[in-house]
Amino acid sequence: MSTLDPGARRAILDAVQALEGEAVAALERLVRCPSTLGNEASALEEMAQNYAALGLAPQRVATRPEALQDHPGFSPPLVSYEGRDNVVATHQPRERKGRSLVLQGHVDVVPVGAEDLWTSPPFEPVVTGGRMYGRGAADMKAGCISNVLAFKALSMAGLQPAAEVQFHSVIEEECTGNGALACMMAMPKCDAVIIPETGVSFDTVYAAEVGAIWAWVTVTGRPTHVRDMHAGVNAIEAAYLISQRFKEYEMAMNRAENIHAAFHGVNHPVNINFGTVQGGEWNSSVPTRAKIGLRVGVMLGRSAAQVKAEIEALVAEIATNEKLRGSQVKLEFQGFMAEACQFDQKEPIVQLVRNTFADVAGHELREVAIPALTDGRFFTLYQGTPVACFGPESDSVHGIDESVNLASFHATTRTIALSMAEWCGVESKA
């Protein structure tokens, strides 16, 4: 049962509607920031300006591996953190009466892939058919802007939260999560977290997610001229043998007895992806070296440490294969070393978000267990803070012509605005 005054509720909803054009323009600006790994500075600055426009003071939170490396949620970084500090901002009420809240979003995006396959340039957002197209439009820049515009809607309605509200704009959700970890460690603990992460092909609320490990296997073979190829060891062919063995492991991990109950009904939840490959020097030479980058899923109920040990054992076993005799096999871990996580759907913040969305959108969020992961795990696993992770309908996330449904985007904003007002309470704007 809502405790929010009906007049205040109506004023907030009217404000969100009045801000829809501004929301789309703000999302376009953020999508234009090509915030791939190591290039997030422009998007972080854009979010800092968004926070400042709300009357909040943006602050930078550095990601320092030396300060985080002993934390169980830390993942080995891929690149330097210099010039890529996360951005946070905090609203403080005049009188603290309600429950505090974190509104978090990640600004980093994955590479665009083959740009020539895109209908329009990936960092030039296009709105057509009620959707916005562009890399990161769905994952998750729409959510970042919903956080900002939800707060602005309260302000336009003459209100502000009667509790602390933290805004976190973080990096590296797509490869380590270290940005979110740094912000969680740097900021005071709040009573709940909302992360408007992208949905799938429908409006989504996340109930569970897998963990992930990034591993890199390098094979150094024995190069020869192609005329003597049988005297050499082809590093690329050796890498292929390794990939086949990992696929056998993947099949075993997807057997029914290895799947947590939260993922029952999810087709093939444990995925091993060969995301990158480098190798060879010359078409007429047996290649010296090949390197493959893997993403290995971690099923709920298993630990990242367990799966890491299994990867190590698997690579050690492969290295003894007769076909690899005379080669060297090296295993490294950089990027995700992330645990699986379950989000309790009975938590008050989750129930509030689900009920509010159903009310403002006219249909319910669909509960899913995903074979992917979010930054929500940090708050749940390491801080004991409940997380409502939900988001707008999207298409082709991490693919070509990524897009977000704008009506769903606006429904997400309405949901956050009303949930924030309900959770935190409201007071008249200072």
Side-chain angles (χ1 to χ4, degrees):
M1 179 68 110
S2 174
T3 59
L4 188 62
D5 177 80
R9 183 181 186 279
R10 184 71 262 159
I12 292 169
L13 289 175
D14 288 346
V16 173
Q17 185 173 8
L19 288 167
E20 286 185 359
E22 182 175 330
V24 171
L27 180 54
E28 287 175 329
R29 289 194 301 272
L30 193 56
V31 171
R32 288 192 182 99
C33 300
S35 50
T36 53
L37 177 64
N39 303 305
E40 306 93 339
S42 61
L44 292 165
E45 180 56 31
E46 179 69 22
M47 290 306 297
Q49 292 180 23
N50 286 333
Y51 295 152
L54 296 177
L56 305 177
Q59 296 176 291
R60 299 286 178 161
V61 174
T63 307
R64 296 190 176 92
E66 66 276 11
L68 301 174
Q69 60 188 359
D70 293 330
H71 192 283
F74 178 72
S75 292
L78 296 159
V79 299
S80 168
Y81 288 109
E82 186 176 353
R84 307 164 57 220
D85 292 349
N86 308 282
V87 178
V88 301
T90 304
H91 159 77
Q92 296 291 357
R94 291 194 307 278
E95 184 181 354
R96 196 180 297 257
K97 295 183 289 188
R99 294 166 290 186
S100 56
L101 183 66
V102 173
L103 299 177
Q104 190 198 77
H106 69 87
V107 301
D108 57 306
V109 301
V110 300
V112 301
E115 188 167 345
D116 61 294
L117 297 181
W118 285 70
T119 304
S120 55
F123 294 113
E124 283 297 326
V126 172
V127 175
T128 183
R131 309 185 70 86
M132 183 182 294
Y133 292 81
R135 173 58 85 228
D139 188 14
M140 66 165 287
K141 291 179 177 180
C144 293
I145 298 302
S146 284
N147 286 339
V148 172
L149 271 293
F151 189 89
K152 185 167 185 176
L154 265 68
S155 181
M156 281 185 62
L159 303 168
Q160 62 182 21
E164 179 176 309
V165 177
Q166 297 177 12
F167 294 83
H168 300 183
S169 287
V170 303
I171 62 171
E172 291 200 3
E173 188 269 356
E174 300 287 6
C175 60
T176 67
N178 289 340
L181 176 60
C183 289
M184 185 189 78
M185 297 296 290
M187 302 295 286
K189 180 180 177 180
C190 285
D191 295 314
V193 179
I194 292 176
I195 302 179
E197 183 61 271
T198 179
V200 283
S201 57
F202 44 80
D203 303 298
T204 303
V205 61
Y206 295 123
E209 60 186 39
V210 300
I213 293 176
W214 276 17
W216 310 80
V217 182
T218 303
V219 182
T220 301
R222 188 166 61 245
T224 65
H225 190 285
V226 69
R227 68 191 175 207
D228 301 317
M229 62 182 294
H230 296 296
V233 176
N234 188 309
I236 293 176
E237 292 180 359
Y240 176 75
L241 288 174
I242 291 169
S243 72
Q244 292 302 102
R245 184 64 184 89
F246 269 98
K247 281 299 177 180
E248 293 172 6
Y249 172 82
E250 180 187 53
M251 288 178 62
M253 289 300 101
N254 280 288
R255 288 201 292 260
E257 63 269 24
N258 292 324
I259 303 302
H260 189 277
F263 285 85
H264 286 174
V266 179
N267 183 39
H268 207 279
V270 180
N271 295 315
I272 295 180
N273 185 61
F274 302 100
T276 61
V277 59
Q278 304 165 7
E281 303 89 29
W282 192 252
N283 283 9
S284 291
S285 297
V286 172
T288 306
R289 185 168 286 135
K291 182 176 183 179
I292 54 176
L294 303 89
R295 181 269 200 192
V296 180
V298 178
M299 175 47 55
L300 192 63
R302 297 170 64 79
S303 71
Q306 280 179 285
V307 176
K308 178 176 182 284
E310 289 168 355
I311 293 170
E312 290 169 335
L314 196 61
V315 172
E317 171 205 316
I318 296 167
T320 65
N321 189 306
E322 181 65 25
K323 293 181 179 179
L324 272 66
R325 177 178 291 197
S327 68
Q328 300 174 23
V329 181
K330 178 183 178 183
L331 173 64
E332 301 171 277
F333 294 96
Q334 284 183 292
F336 280 128
M337 189 64 65
E339 305 288 353
C341 180
Q342 194 164 11
F343 302 115
D344 187 350
Q345 298 300 289
K346 295 181 181 179
E347 285 286 353
I349 187 62
V350 181
Q351 289 290 302
L352 174 60
V353 163
R354 294 182 67 154
N355 292 337
T356 302
F357 183 89
D359 187 39
V360 302
H363 60 273
E364 294 186 351
L365 292 164
R366 287 175 60 179
E367 182 180 322
V368 297
I370 57 168
L373 62 162
T374 73
D375 282 336
R377 70 186 183 279
F378 294 105
F379 297 96
T380 296
L381 295 176
Y382 307 118
Q383 199 181 58
T385 303
V387 177
C389 190
F390 81 109
E393 182 263 305
S394 62
D395 186 53
S396 298
V397 171
H398 287 213
I400 304 299
D401 289 344
E402 174 183 349
S403 70
V404 65
N405 182 311
L406 291 177
S408 184
F409 164 49
H410 298 314
T412 298
T413 305
R414 293 197 297 274
T415 300
I416 297 171
L418 290 179
S419 297
M420 176 168 34
E422 188 80 43
W423 183 262
C424 301
V426 292
E427 60 187 12
S428 61
K429 186 180 175 183

